[in-house]
Amino acid sequence: METDNNQKTAVLWGGRTSNKPEEAAFAFQASIHIDKRLAQEDITGSRAHVKMLGKQGIIPPQTAAALDGELECIALELERGTLHIDENAEDIHSFIEGELTARLGTEGRMVHAGRSRNDQVALDFRLYLKNSVPCICKELDATARVLLNCAEEHLDSIMPGYTHLQRAQPVTLAHHLCAWVSGIARDLERFYDALKRLDECPLGSGALAGSGLPLDRAMTSAALGFTRPTINSMDAVADRDFALELASAAAITQTHLSRFCEDIVLWASEEFKFIDLDEAWSTGSSIMPQKKNPDFAELIRGKSARVTGNLITLFTLLKGLPYAYDKDLQEDKEALFDSLDTVSTALKNFRGMLASSRWNIERMETACSGGFLEATDAAEYLVGRGLPFRNAHEIVAHIVRECIENGLQSIAECSLDTLRRHSPLFNADIFERLHPRACVAARSLPGGPARAAVICQIAELRARLDSLNGRAVQEN
Ligand code: ARG
């Protein structure tokens, strides 16, 4: 049989076709520019595979040792930068196998026994994610902790809470930040959950139908740190649920960041002025000399478009794909890598931007007066005195209307007589209840904005982060 003399650039399937595709066509179907990222995982997988081949007597033990040793060298050389990935290779699997064969000759040609690039790429992708997703989890955890530390400093910094972007009821900055962290804690849990289902080893599934060679799938699975081998060989090469799940976790995370950043963009405006972004985390305008723009927050918001897009890419890619492997699947990595990279840098930038910002707490407190944010509390006062809530709502609505007609800014500016005209249930103690701080203090239910309630939330969120991270240490 003829073999390509230049082992390094030979395609792995050269024996089947008499003509190599034209250069541009070859480049079109190649994936090295994306999957070169999987180089170390590819080598790790191959090392486990050759050891197993040796142990099972499929290749001579000394060949297994030689392959394993050479793979280790290639890994080190790549790491040190003394070996460069050849971008003319078809994909990372071809490059590594080509390199082995160029160095070891016939022995190199034994590495692929009982294996296909279909199970190989499924393995490499999973191994890569097992290594890289915990880094995103660390970013999420660090971000949550920065926010919780900030919350701890602002337990008494009152600010308006909004619905419909209209001032609704007073809350605190700490309460608002804990709302954000609640979302991040769920994100963290979603990533860990996806890792749990990803933790099965596809090696030994071959192209789709396994292998007639006496492979030991349990051995490679354990050696590579998986909980178990995948159940079905066709599923193992066709399945990309793990990519969908992680792309979804990434899209939800980025959507959270986008919403947080929308808050920040609003708060940084002259109209709100709740936050002063550090100059190092803002940009100017090329024409308007006075501008200090919240570009970082805007861009984090903007990048949610591509992360959501990547999720849709993956769904569209998988929809209608016949079992088992199809080359379409090669498109999976670019989308997921981009999502994970984007989320990871967005988290770093979000954290840096927030940690260097100054909060304008006087301005936030001032914004709590003047918008009748105490109205619900006035109604609840009447409910406390036995009035049905609907009546109380109506009475307070009338008081608010009257205040607006008379140019008053708050219910507290009414006299007790005026209030009593609306309801005899009002007593002098109503005025203590109308101050924004009193409104916050009254909302002391679990989950509410009162100081003690938020202290509990911070503790609960920290405990949740700890237990999620504990779980990561246990499982990885
Ligand atoms: N580059 C391919 C991918 O990323 C590897 C598997 C190729 N398999 C094949 N039969 N062409 O999916």
Side-chain angles (χ1 to χ4, degrees):
M1 193 183 72
E2 253 192 280
T3 55
D4 193 322
N5 286 334
N6 187 351
Q7 298 283 6
K8 290 197 191 186
T9 53
V11 290
L12 298 176
W13 35 268
R16 170 66 180 83
T17 50
S18 44
N19 293 327
K20 246 179 119 168
E22 271 177 40
E23 208 175 305
F26 182 77
F28 174 73
Q29 62 84 55
S31 56
I32 188 95
H33 60 294
I34 299 296
D35 57 33
K36 62 182 175 188
R37 239 196 232 225
L38 303 175
Q40 291 296 341
E41 286 76 11
D42 196 75
I43 294 172
T44 305
S46 291
R47 291 186 67 185
H49 182 65
V50 296
K51 282 184 207 144
M52 180 276 293
L53 292 179
K55 192 204 119 216
Q56 295 297 97
I58 299 168
I59 60 174
Q62 63 276 20
T63 299
L67 286 167
D68 185 38
E70 205 52 51
L71 282 163
E72 187 180 12
C73 289
I74 294 174
L76 278 173
E77 289 170 35
L78 282 173
E79 209 177 279
R80 291 192 189 123
T82 49
L83 173 66
H84 296 288
I85 292 173
D86 178 5
E87 302 264 344
N88 294 315
E90 185 180 359
D91 54 27
I92 193 62
H93 327 295
S94 312
F95 170 74
I96 305 285
E97 189 175 332
E99 197 60 40
L100 261 187
T101 308
R103 295 174 185 211
L104 296 178
T106 305
E107 285 188 315
R109 297 171 65 83
M110 293 186 172
V111 66
H112 209 51
R115 194 174 66 168
S116 154
R117 281 181 296 166
N118 299 354
D119 60 347
Q120 196 176 354
V121 75
L123 169 70
D124 294 0
F125 202 9
R126 285 175 187 247
L127 280 177
Y128 174 87
L129 295 168
K130 262 163 86 75
N131 290 332
S132 59
V133 169
C135 300
I136 294 193
C137 292
K138 280 199 191 95
E139 295 292 346
L140 281 164
D141 182 76
T143 306
R145 288 181 198 272
V146 163
L147 293 171
L148 289 176
N149 292 345
C150 183
E152 221 155 31
E153 286 168 26
H154 288 284
L155 289 164
D156 301 312
S157 304
I158 63 166
M159 70 185 297
Y162 295 80
T163 61
H164 312 268
L165 201 53
Q166 306 287 318
R167 289 180 196 171
Q169 291 183 282
V171 294
T172 62
L173 178 56
H175 190 231
H176 197 120
L177 294 175
C178 284
W180 289 358
V181 178
S182 304
I184 298 182
R186 288 190 297 273
D187 292 333
L188 196 54
E189 196 162 357
R190 264 185 284 273
F191 275 107
Y192 281 133
D193 255 14
L195 275 185
K196 215 167 56 186
R197 273 181 295 282
L198 172 150
D199 193 19
E200 293 184 349
C201 184
L203 204 58
S205 300
L208 80 162
S211 170
L213 297 170
L215 309 178
D216 184 344
R217 294 197 60 206
M219 177 182 169
T220 41
S221 170
L224 291 166
F226 287 95
T227 302
R228 64 185 83 82
T230 47
I231 291 178
N232 176 285
S233 63
M234 289 180 71
D235 173 62
V237 296
D239 167 44
R240 292 295 183 272
D241 290 0
F242 58 88
L244 284 177
E245 287 191 36
L246 287 171
S248 169
I252 297 172
T253 302
Q254 193 70 32
T255 301
H256 283 150
L257 291 177
S258 174
R259 294 183 69 177
F260 307 164
C261 284
E262 171 62 11
D263 279 346
I264 288 171
V265 169
L266 284 170
W267 293 346
S269 70
E270 196 60 31
E271 285 70 13
F272 279 81
K273 259 193 165 167
F274 289 177
I275 195 170
D276 185 17
L277 298 176
D278 195 84
E279 284 177 9
W281 289 94
S282 318
T283 58
S285 155
S286 61
I287 174 170
M288 297 166 283
Q290 85 286 8
K291 289 299 285 292
K292 193 178 106 179
N293 295 327
D295 285 34
F296 289 82
E298 293 168 89
L299 207 48
I300 294 170
R301 186 179 61 187
K303 283 186 187 291
S304 61
R306 64 194 287 161
V307 180
T308 307
N310 288 333
L311 175 63
I312 305 303
T313 295
L314 286 171
F315 272 118
T316 314
L317 184 68
L318 289 162
K319 182 199 171 294
L321 266 197
Y323 274 76
Y325 177 86
D326 304 275
K327 182 88 164 187
D328 313 45
L329 290 173
Q330 181 165 289
E331 292 287 309
D332 58 0
K333 285 169 284 302
E334 195 168 3
L336 188 56
F337 288 165
D338 182 66
S339 282
L340 299 180
D341 293 350
T342 305
V343 166
S344 170
T345 46
L347 283 165
K348 282 194 184 79
N349 281 282
F350 179 74
R351 220 162 53 229
M353 176 180 68
L354 264 199
S356 61
S357 300
R358 283 166 299 279
W359 297 97
N360 192 345
I361 53 178
E362 291 79 28
R363 178 90 184 174
M364 294 190 298
E365 179 151 7
T366 310
C368 289
S369 29
F372 299 98
L373 279 78
E374 69 286 7
T376 311
D377 293 82
E380 287 186 354
Y381 173 91
L382 295 175
V383 169
R385 313 229 42 212
L387 200 65
F389 177 76
R390 196 47 59 209
N391 301 32
H393 185 283
E394 230 165 69
I395 288 168
V396 176
H398 288 149
I399 296 173
V400 169
R401 280 180 69 136
E402 201 174 295
C403 285
I404 294 170
E405 278 161 20
N406 297 329
L408 303 183
Q409 305 291 318
S410 114
I411 297 173
E413 290 177 22
C414 296
S415 68
L416 184 55
D417 284 348
T418 306
L419 295 181
R420 277 187 190 277
R421 188 159 40 75
H422 287 276
S423 167
L425 294 173
F426 280 119
N427 278 330
D429 62 346
I430 177 64
F431 294 106
E432 296 153 24
R433 295 280 304 274
L434 297 179
H435 190 278
R437 290 197 174 274
C439 299
V440 168
R443 300 182 192 284
S444 57
L445 292 177
R451 188 175 221 280
V454 176
I455 289 175
C456 286
Q457 289 162 45
I458 294 174
E460 243 180 277
L461 287 165
R462 284 214 175 103
R464 188 167 297 182
L465 295 175
D466 288 345
S467 82
L468 284 167
N469 292 327
R471 175 175 147 188
V473 170
Q474 225 180 335
E475 285 176 6
N476 291 308

